[in-house]
Amino acid sequence: HVHFQTRSQAMAYLNELAFGEEVPYETSRSLRDGERRTTYLVPTDRDFLAENDELPPPVWEEAPGFTSEDELTDMFETLADLPRAPLPQMPSTLRWGLQRPDLARYNRVEAVSLGARWEARPHTFVGPITVGVTGRIGVGDLQPNASLGFTRESLRRKITVRGYNELAAVDEGARHLALGNSMMAAFFGRDDGDYYYRSGAEIVWTPPTPERQSFAVRGYAEHHRAAVNETTFSLFNFWRDGWAFRPNIAADRGWEYGAQIDVTPWWGSDPMLAQGGFDFTVQGGVGDVEYARTSLVGTAIVPLPAHLRLAVEAGGGTSWGAPSVQRMWYVGGPRTIRGYDPLTAGGADFARGRVELARTASFGAVSVFSDFGWAGDFDSFGWDDGFTSIGVGTSLLDGILRLDAAYGLDADNPFRIDFYLDGIL
């Protein structure tokens, strides 16, 4: 037996047995089963325990009985390649007309265009595949639009192979074939899109559906041909003698075999905090035309005191070779320069920017802004050759609905009102 004169001597002895050296410690007591008192010796510096050789390694390090990091990575890669679990839905669906917003549209080429889409998800030797068949026809041009696609989606990627004959927009990112532009064309005779027909096939790789679509890789082979205006009707202009939509772009005819990469990350989801992102595009093609082009547009939104928000957008792009008319860069319209008509300027290169200051409120925001845009050949670029506008706007539902009144400082018809979906703020 070992006898001690004081309690501190006993604690020092136990500390020596436990830690093998002089280590500052503290004690704590607890009752077990309501009667037995237990005293714990705990080092004051908790890192001492983590560095002690007597302790086993952490469970996330290589240790007998635990999975290593390399093994976990291999298992994740295997699971990620598995197809997503089937959704609780009918084996096949048929939607048409107004049942889906993308199956009904209006533009100056097709006029009213109604479509139908059938989808099924059969099981195959590579897992479930989504099969989609879409058909539509416009009452103006009477040109049949059809596509057949096969999609395989896993936890990490979505691959689609599609064949098509369809009307396409020159600036696909502006969603000119979507609901917002269709409403402006049908009611007010304002169709900001420019269109051409294409027939061919493509393969597209994107993130899976639940994730934000931050990139897209596309390879395609397609034949292009021009589309012309086939209607002069809009609800608030049909009684005006001689009124007509602006002419459509005269697209070049020919085959194009190409590839395109779009990278569109975005950071920040809270509209009251800072947000930002960029849109980077690389595209090239061969065939009846040989060209390459690239563009980069960045956006930053910063909150300020007094419920103010500042948004800045700037970007540019360039081309090499001989791009077709439908592959040139254009500025004009609400997506690039508010206060100007679409196709105000075009060329192999472009530069643009805009700044906007908004005051947020419970219904949305009220803003003042200024836009600048230029397109042509960078060898002859000059700030005086660009187009500038100023204006005021209001947005609802966090920018989903947007109304702008802009004055183009260099426009022939300087005052322009635009209503569209999904604005900068």
Side-chain angles (χ1 to χ4, degrees):
H1 298 283
V2 180
H3 299 279
F4 304 96
Q5 295 181 356
T6 63
R7 183 176 182 278
S8 61
Q9 292 178 349
M11 293 296 100
Y13 177 76
L14 294 175
N15 183 61
E16 176 71 19
L17 292 178
F19 306 125
E21 55 183 295
E22 279 297 327
V23 177
Y25 66 91
E26 58 187 10
T27 62
S28 62
R29 295 185 177 185
S30 64
L31 294 178
R32 180 182 297 176
D33 299 329
E35 298 179 358
R36 185 178 179 181
R37 183 181 298 275
T38 302
T39 301
Y40 296 94
L41 280 71
V42 183
T44 305
D45 182 8
R46 301 296 193 268
D47 291 338
F48 174 82
L49 293 177
E51 298 171 356
N52 196 299
D53 295 336
E54 301 296 329
L55 296 177
V59 295
W60 53 85
E61 294 182 0
E62 292 189 12
F66 291 97
T67 304
S68 68
E69 183 176 353
D70 291 340
E71 291 172 331
L72 287 174
T73 301
D74 291 340
M75 286 190 290
F76 178 79
E77 294 287 344
T78 301
L79 292 173
D81 286 331
L82 295 176
R84 296 178 57 213
L87 297 176
Q89 60 185 15
M90 298 295 292
S92 64
T93 59
L94 177 62
R95 300 286 186 268
W96 64 280
L98 299 178
Q99 291 180 329
R100 295 288 298 176
D102 60 337
L103 293 177
R105 66 193 188 200
Y106 188 90
N107 56 73
R108 65 187 187 280
V109 174
E110 300 174 301
V112 176
S113 176
L114 298 177
R117 179 180 296 116
W118 174 81
E119 288 186 336
R121 191 175 170 84
H123 287 268
T124 69
F125 66 95
V126 295
I129 297 292
T130 300
V131 181
V133 179
T134 302
R136 68 186 317 132
I137 192 168
V139 300
D141 62 350
L142 297 179
Q143 291 286 330
N145 286 238
S147 70
L148 170 63
F150 302 89
T151 301
R152 186 181 189 275
E153 187 169 2
S154 68
L155 297 176
R156 301 187 67 180
R157 64 185 64 88
K158 179 180 178 181
I159 305 294
T160 299
V161 178
R162 189 173 72 98
Y164 49 86
N165 175 67
E166 62 189 9
L167 185 72
V170 171
D171 186 356
E172 295 188 46
R175 300 186 296 276
H176 288 136
L177 291 170
L179 177 62
N181 192 67
S182 294
M183 293 175 59
M184 290 296 293
F187 288 101
F188 304 104
R190 179 75 62 76
D191 187 347
D192 290 330
D194 286 277
Y195 311 101
Y196 64 98
Y197 293 113
R198 64 183 181 186
S199 304
E202 66 179 5
I203 179 170
V204 182
W205 170 28
T206 61
T209 302
E211 296 184 11
R212 188 183 184 278
Q213 301 301 290
S214 58
F215 72 87
V217 180
R218 176 177 180 251
Y220 59 90
E222 55 191 27
H223 183 263
H224 297 174
R225 55 197 184 277
V228 297
N229 293 1
E230 297 290 356
T231 183
T232 59
F233 176 85
S234 75
L235 185 61
F236 298 138
N237 290 288
F238 73 92
W239 65 84
R240 297 170 55 186
D241 292 337
W243 179 87
F245 284 100
R246 65 182 182 88
N248 188 44
I249 193 173
D252 290 331
R253 186 183 187 92
W255 279 95
E256 181 178 323
Y257 311 94
Q260 180 174 344
I261 300 175
D262 293 311
V263 182
T264 57
W266 185 262
W267 296 275
S269 57
D270 189 337
M272 304 308 297
L273 301 177
Q275 298 174 278
F278 63 85
D279 187 338
F280 175 67
T281 297
V282 177
Q283 184 178 16
V286 296
D288 292 321
V289 294
E290 295 185 0
Y291 75 97
R293 65 176 188 166
T294 184
S295 69
L296 175 63
V297 178
T299 304
I301 303 175
V302 181
L304 299 175
H307 301 285
L308 296 175
R309 300 183 74 199
L310 176 66
V312 179
E313 186 174 88
T318 189
S319 304
W320 300 271
S324 60
V325 170
Q326 56 270 30
R327 298 306 190 199
M328 302 288 279
W329 298 114
Y330 298 97
V331 295
R335 179 173 166 83
T336 54
I337 321 173
R338 289 164 286 191
Y340 293 85
D341 294 333
L343 304 187
T344 294
D349 311 302
F350 82 93
R352 66 179 181 88
R354 50 179 151 185
V355 60
E356 182 169 315
L357 182 64
R359 173 66 161 81
T360 60
S362 58
F363 62 86
V366 178
S367 62
V368 294
F369 59 82
S370 178
D371 296 349
F372 171 83
W374 169 91
D377 189 334
F378 272 141
D379 292 337
S380 60
F381 172 78
W383 292 105
D384 294 339
D385 298 326
F387 301 89
T388 306
S389 69
I390 57 176
V392 296
T394 182
S395 61
L396 305 175
L397 304 176
D398 193 27
I400 295 178
L401 300 178
R402 178 77 190 225
L403 178 65
D404 288 329
Y407 184 85
L409 302 182
D410 306 293
D412 295 334
N413 299 308
F415 186 71
R416 178 181 166 109
I417 296 179
D418 289 299
F419 172 78
Y420 53 101
L421 304 180
D422 195 15
I424 184 173
L425 280 176

